[in-house]
Amino acid sequence: MDIINLILLIMLAGFACLAVFFKDLLRAALSLAFMSAVLAVLLYRMDSPYAAVFELSVVAGLITVLFVSTIALTKEEDAVRESRWPLYLFPLFLVLFGIIDLLVMKGLFSNPPAGYGNAERSFGATLWGIRSLDLLGQIAVIFGGVFGVLALFREKPLTAQEKLEAEKAKEGGHKLW
Amino acid sequence: MVAINMIFVGLLFFIGLYCLLSSRNMIKLLIGLEIMAKAAVLSFITAGFHRGETFFSQSLVITFIVVEVSIVAVAMALVINAYKNTGSLDIRSLAKLKG
């Protein structure tokens, strides 16, 4: 058992707990970014350098930027009031789930690996050859995401009456948007 | 090694699920979803490492990451729109929406 991998796994779980229990959203988002960075190191250590690069650049980078921008755009005066019971019950549930998890996973993965080996000689051949249809799906998903965001931020031009109402609301100072 | 990894996959999935079930803040819900996604990524790579098919598992993970980014981008846009309409990040405020 590799001790460094175990330390990385413990760090991963620790950052996940911090991301869940930090009240400050910005700190929670940064914990998530650190979690991604630790996961990237772990992936690299498990012979998966391409996945590690994607995890580090896209998830730790791009998704953190998305989170931080959303947090900056949604500054609210009163934070959402969370109930207290999840914080107190969490350790109990975690230990309970951990014991079940330990028993199930040890039983499932105690057999030696089947060892089929990589079918192709390189990652490029696998991605562009065997999984080439996945790439089409990825392109569709990217366009779906882009058009989804565009559709959600679409705004119709204001009429003269609506502009007047918006001005009045601005002067009154009680409407946010 | 593989068994330990899969135990942590289960733990991460549980932490994410717990966040989804217990939190009311929409951004916190997305953070919970992200934690569950990381558990899935670790699971794919561990399975590939276990079977010696790391290329195959990496190509799946890259596809998954692209899908994940799209989901987060659209979800963030929805959160901002909901905030514009309700002035709050509380998920319960969405129950008041009509139409």
Side-chain angles (χ1 to χ4, degrees):
Chain A
M1 171 74 220
D2 193 345
I3 194 76
I4 299 172
N5 275 17
L6 185 64
I7 291 168
L8 287 171
L9 286 167
I10 292 167
M11 280 172 73
L12 202 63
F15 278 125
C17 290
L18 285 179
V20 172
F21 289 111
F22 264 140
K23 278 191 172 177
D24 186 11
L25 289 175
L26 202 60
R27 284 184 186 174
L30 287 178
S31 296
L32 200 69
F34 280 120
M35 198 186 156
S36 287
V38 172
L39 182 61
V41 177
L42 201 61
L43 297 187
Y44 185 77
R45 290 179 59 82
M46 286 199 292
D47 296 336
S48 305
Y50 298 101
V53 167
F54 257 76
E55 181 69 30
L56 196 60
S57 59
V58 180
V59 183
L62 182 62
I63 290 187
T64 307
V65 170
L66 285 176
F67 267 110
V68 171
S69 348
T70 309
I71 291 164
L73 283 170
T74 55
K75 277 267 180 234
E76 52 179 353
E77 290 82 21
D78 305 315
V80 178
R81 290 185 70 181
E82 302 279 0
S83 53
R84 302 290 299 165
W85 64 265
L87 191 65
Y88 304 132
L89 288 180
F90 179 73
L92 179 73
F93 280 131
L94 188 69
V95 170
L96 198 68
F97 184 83
I99 293 167
I100 298 168
D101 192 26
L102 192 75
L103 294 173
V104 172
M105 295 299 182
K106 278 235 165 186
L108 277 178
F109 290 91
S110 55
N111 298 327
Y116 291 138
N118 286 314
E120 292 285 336
R121 280 184 186 172
S122 72
F123 173 71
T126 308
L127 186 66
W128 297 102
I130 299 175
R131 308 299 303 178
S132 54
L133 279 177
D134 282 9
L135 295 172
L136 287 177
Q138 284 186 43
I139 294 166
V141 165
I142 289 169
F143 276 108
V146 169
F147 287 116
V149 172
L150 283 178
L152 286 167
F153 283 121
R154 184 179 49 199
E155 282 182 354
K156 68 172 186 187
L158 295 176
T159 59
Q161 178 69 24
E162 284 169 335
K163 271 183 189 167
L164 206 67
E165 280 173 10
E167 283 294 322
K168 273 184 189 169
K170 210 174 183 182
E171 281 164 18
H174 58 272
K175 222 170 181 182
L176 284 168
W177 296 86
Chain B
M1 167 74 191
V2 173
I4 297 283
N5 273 10
M6 292 312 281
I7 289 166
F8 275 89
V9 165
L11 282 180
L12 284 179
F13 197 83
F14 171 76
I15 293 167
L17 191 68
Y18 198 84
C19 182
L20 275 183
L21 294 177
S22 67
S23 196
R24 290 169 186 165
N25 189 315
M26 284 187 261
I27 295 176
K28 268 285 173 73
L29 294 179
L30 280 177
I31 286 174
L33 201 69
E34 274 294 300
I35 293 171
M36 288 168 81
K38 284 184 207 321
V41 166
L42 185 60
S43 160
F44 278 133
I45 294 294
T46 305
F49 187 67
H50 181 61
R51 309 277 293 245
E53 293 176 355
T54 51
F55 294 155
F56 188 67
S57 63
Q58 284 184 88
S59 64
L60 283 179
V61 163
I62 288 171
T63 309
F64 179 71
I65 287 173
V66 171
V67 174
E68 189 186 341
V69 171
S70 292
I71 288 172
V72 169
V74 174
M76 291 295 184
L78 280 172
V79 168
I80 292 170
N81 264 355
Y83 178 75
K84 275 185 186 176
N85 282 317
T86 62
S88 167
L89 286 174
D90 196 330
I91 192 77
R92 291 169 301 176
S93 64
L94 292 182
K96 293 171 194 163
L97 294 178
K98 286 175 185 170

